[in-house]
Amino acid sequence: MSGYGGQPPSGWQDPYDPYGGQQPQQAPGGWRDPNGYGYGYGPPGVPPGGTSNGSAIGALVVSIVEVVLCGGIFAVPGIVLAAMAMGRFKTDPESARKLTVWAWICAGIAPLIGIALLIVYFVYLANTSSTSTY
């Protein structure tokens, strides 16, 4: 073979070309794959499409754990958003992705709000001394 850009020697057959250099025949019903890969099969090496809603499930679980174990009432919006994302996963994947991102944001902000409220509470307790002056 003559390297990149050159022509293969005469009689050389590409082992990966199932059609031997000719166009595939038209499928029954008149449909032909616009990419030229045959009868609706994708190019080799490309996994079939499909994503999972694992991130939405993770956001839902984390938000529920925050509410149950930490009493984080601020994680409830994360539960609602994650549940909505799981419901829209098949019908509207772009909306489901955005809802999942917002569910993770809510799950991350909820502990921060809880910690800030604890700090405010302890500062309040420190400033209100129970000692009385007689």
Side-chain angles (χ1 to χ4, degrees), residues 84-85 87-99:
M84 288 174 57
R88 293 185 186 179
F89 174 70
K90 294 283 184 187
T91 58
D92 189 7
E94 183 63 28
S95 174
R97 187 189 65 79
K98 289 178 183 178
L99 287 169

Side-chain angles (χ1 to χ4, degrees), residues 1-128:
M1 191 166 318
S2 61
Y4 293 107
Q7 295 296 327
S10 64
W12 183 79
Q13 176 78 22
D14 184 4
Y16 299 108
D17 185 7
Y19 303 110
Q22 298 181 11
Q23 289 293 326
Q25 294 180 359
Q26 196 164 0
W31 183 83
R32 178 179 286 191
D33 183 17
N35 297 323
Y37 292 111
Y39 298 112
Y41 301 109
V46 176
T51 57
S52 74
N53 59 350
S55 184
I57 293 171
L60 180 68
V61 169
V62 167
S63 296
I64 289 173
V65 167
E66 285 178 358
V67 169
V68 171
L69 295 181
C70 305
I73 193 71
F74 300 107
V76 171
I79 294 173
V80 172
L81 290 171
M84 288 174 57
M86 289 174 59
R88 293 185 186 179
F89 174 70
K90 294 283 184 187
T91 58
D92 189 7
E94 183 63 28
S95 174
R97 187 189 65 79
K98 289 178 183 178
L99 287 169
T100 301
V101 169
W102 280 107
W104 277 112
I105 290 172
C106 288
I109 290 177
L112 298 177
I113 292 174
I115 291 170
L117 288 176
L118 279 175
I119 291 172
V120 167
Y121 177 71
F122 286 127
V123 167
Y124 172 76
L125 287 179
N127 287 335
T128 58

